[in-house]
Amino acid sequence: MRAILTGLVVGYGFMVMFISTAIKGVYQINFTGLVHHYGVGIEAMALAGGFFGLAQGVFSAMVGKLCDRCGASYVLLSGMLSAACAFLLFSSDNSFLTFLLGFLLFAAYAMAALTFVPVSILIDMYVMPERRQLAYVLATNGIAVGLMVLSPIWIYLEGYLSWPMLCSVLAAIFASLAVIPALLNCLGRTPVKIPVALRAVTAPLTQPNAQAVKHTTLASLPRYWYFDRRFLLAALAFSGCGTSMIFIDVHYVPAIQEILQHRTAANLLTGFSLSLLGLSEALGSLLIGYIVSKKVSLPLLLGMLFLLRCVTLMALVLWPEPVMVPLFGIFFGITYMGTVIIISRLAGTIFGYRYKGFIFGAFFLIHQLSGLLTAWLGSLLRVYCGSYFPVICFVAVWLALSAGASLLLSIMKNNPDAGTGSGNDSRFQVKYE
């Protein structure tokens, strides 16, 4: 019975991740069409995408607290209903202000409530500890598969369904899927066994344990931690991840259409490229995870990934041939999740793992802010220069700066009190949580 329940929970987590890609996917694919549908400029629509990412970051913190207080299944239920409300709003009103309201409030909340945090907590509630790692991998791969499978579908439907009709269909789908978390709420929480290794955490405090708890307070962070060179360099590096993410979400499709001069095969190649990007993202995350387990220098590996993104982008504009579009999807996709994996590790090595959540949250905020700036400045460059060439060069330069920051970080010594146990002579490469 438990095995069946585990399979159902993992399958539902995969399906939630899979369908959540539709929230950004239809905006991404229909970007040019939405500009004409709502009668706004490219910069206004791109800025909406940037603020969407920022709103998603803000809602992510709220979602975490709601999961702790109410349970993941209630958050997933609210995410499904919020997505249904967003698409219902899009289908019933052609006002751009209404679109912004639905996109930045309902859709952004739904995106935060249907991704990593609630799904991982749902797995913690229903899956035995020894099976959780595999369950996380299987469930989170729904995002990569969703990008790979759904992107061509949105491109195909763009020629057959109007924007209001497409939104009506998606509203019905999300409303129907809300039944599943409602049933999970009726089942209630299934208790799982606590492994022996974790029981020591709940044991009465001895003097050494009390000393360890004393060091977990955030109040002992350095007074000016935000001026720490390691933090600043890592933040600059991770900002390149936000920049490239927004480029894919907002500027990629119209840029490829322009590069291919709106040929008949442009939409087909774009969808194929996004599918390859999703497949490469899944394979790349496994590859980077394997390399990280070999205790390599994480900042050096991070710099190489950003450098590969930079070279791939420049190759796309220097050789604007159709064959470069799927190649871009492959090489760019390999690096897509790897930068997040590495930064999440580095977040624990700067001031110690007892501050990992706080520091990674600060990195994620910078990640979203850089995405917002890229959406806005990229749209301005496109409008005033009349081409996406300066936009791609702008993103490539930002990625080069991120690669440089990563390489500078690789030559810095680790914090001797970072909780890695490697001392003054260690670098950011050993003993992870």
Side-chain angles (χ1 to χ4, degrees):
M1 181 62 182
R2 180 174 292 279
I4 296 176
L5 181 60
T6 298
L8 290 175
V9 170
V10 172
Y12 179 64
F14 178 90
M15 184 267 293
V16 166
M17 294 284 205
F18 178 86
I19 196 63
S20 70
T21 61
I23 299 174
K24 285 202 305 183
V26 292
Y27 163 80
Q28 176 186 4
I29 297 300
N30 292 274
F31 182 86
T32 304
L34 290 177
V35 169
H36 296 296
H37 179 78
Y38 289 109
V40 296
I42 293 176
E43 67 278 9
M45 189 59 66
L47 197 58
F51 277 113
F52 174 86
L54 186 60
Q56 182 187 345
V58 173
F59 282 129
S60 294
M62 181 189 302
V63 162
K65 291 184 178 180
L66 289 175
C67 285
D68 292 337
R69 176 170 296 184
C70 305
S73 54
Y74 286 99
V75 173
L76 291 169
L77 175 60
S78 69
M80 291 293 182
L81 294 177
S82 182
C85 290
F87 284 111
L88 187 61
L89 201 61
F90 299 158
S91 65
S92 60
D93 197 319
N94 291 329
S95 168
F96 182 64
L97 291 178
T98 303
F99 171 79
L100 285 180
L101 175 66
F103 196 52
L104 301 184
L105 292 181
F106 295 107
Y109 173 81
M111 194 68 189
L114 296 175
T115 46
F116 298 100
V117 175
V119 170
S120 63
I121 293 178
L122 186 73
I123 289 174
D124 288 341
M125 290 173 59
Y126 290 95
V127 179
M128 295 294 289
E130 62 270 16
R131 299 178 181 176
R132 285 176 187 166
Q133 187 61 38
L134 178 60
Y136 291 150
V137 172
L138 293 176
T140 55
N141 270 341
I143 290 183
V145 176
L147 181 64
M148 178 176 59
V149 173
L150 294 181
S151 294
I153 295 178
W154 307 137
I155 290 177
Y156 175 79
L157 292 178
E158 186 182 11
Y160 293 92
L161 292 180
S162 65
W163 172 249
M165 181 62 69
L166 176 62
C167 291
S168 298
V169 172
L170 288 172
I173 291 174
F174 278 103
S176 301
L177 292 176
V179 175
I180 301 178
L183 291 176
L184 288 176
N185 292 332
C186 295
L187 290 175
R189 177 172 177 172
T190 302
V192 296
K193 296 179 180 179
I194 300 177
V196 176
L198 295 179
R199 291 175 187 166
V201 178
T202 60
L205 289 177
T206 61
Q207 185 63 29
N209 285 336
Q211 186 70 18
V213 172
K214 180 180 179 181
H215 285 294
T216 61
T217 57
L218 290 178
S220 60
L221 269 172
R223 183 176 181 183
Y224 299 109
W225 57 269
Y226 37 82
F227 288 138
D228 187 279
R229 287 178 297 173
R230 295 160 300 164
F231 174 81
L232 292 175
L233 287 174
L236 176 58
F238 197 42
S239 69
C241 183
T243 296
S244 51
M245 179 199 72
I246 286 295
F247 172 77
I248 295 295
D249 290 346
V250 176
H251 298 299
Y252 178 65
V253 172
I256 293 301
Q257 291 173 342
E258 180 182 283
I259 288 173
L260 298 182
Q261 299 176 351
H262 298 276
R263 301 177 194 173
T264 305
N267 285 342
L268 178 63
L269 285 173
T270 303
F272 183 52
S273 173
L274 289 172
S275 296
L276 287 176
L277 192 149
L279 177 61
S280 300
E281 177 185 348
L283 297 178
S285 63
L286 297 175
L287 175 62
I288 300 302
Y290 173 77
I291 295 175
V292 166
S293 68
K294 296 302 180 181
K295 312 300 184 185
V296 300
S297 172
L298 296 185
L300 183 61
L301 178 60
L302 185 66
M304 293 175 63
L305 293 179
F306 280 125
L307 194 59
L308 178 59
R309 288 190 191 182
C310 178
V311 172
T312 304
L313 264 177
M314 291 308 300
L316 189 64
V317 294
L318 293 178
W319 293 281
E321 297 297 330
V323 69
M324 292 301 300
V325 178
L327 288 178
F328 172 87
I330 293 174
F331 288 102
F332 204 88
I334 289 174
T335 71
Y336 211 60
M337 284 298 293
T339 53
V340 179
I341 294 172
I342 295 173
I343 283 293
S344 68
R345 298 282 188 166
L346 289 179
T349 65
I350 295 179
F351 299 114
Y353 274 100
R354 55 189 177 271
Y355 310 112
K356 178 180 178 180
F358 177 76
I359 296 300
F360 186 69
F363 285 154
F364 189 77
L365 177 60
I366 294 170
H367 173 280
Q368 298 300 89
L369 288 173
S370 65
L372 174 61
L373 287 175
T374 301
W376 177 50
L377 294 177
S379 62
L380 290 180
L381 287 172
R382 171 61 181 84
V383 170
Y384 289 107
C385 297
S387 169
Y388 273 103
F389 178 80
V391 179
I392 296 178
C393 291
F394 168 76
V395 175
V397 169
W398 198 318
L399 290 173
L401 290 175
S402 294
S406 303
L407 296 178
L408 286 176
L409 192 61
S410 68
I411 65 176
M412 294 185 65
K413 302 295 183 181
N414 199 357
N415 183 6
D417 190 37
T420 61
S422 51
N424 288 326
D425 294 329
S426 65
R427 296 177 186 264
F428 293 103
Q429 59 184 35
V430 294
K431 291 200 176 180
Y432 306 112
E433 200 173 44

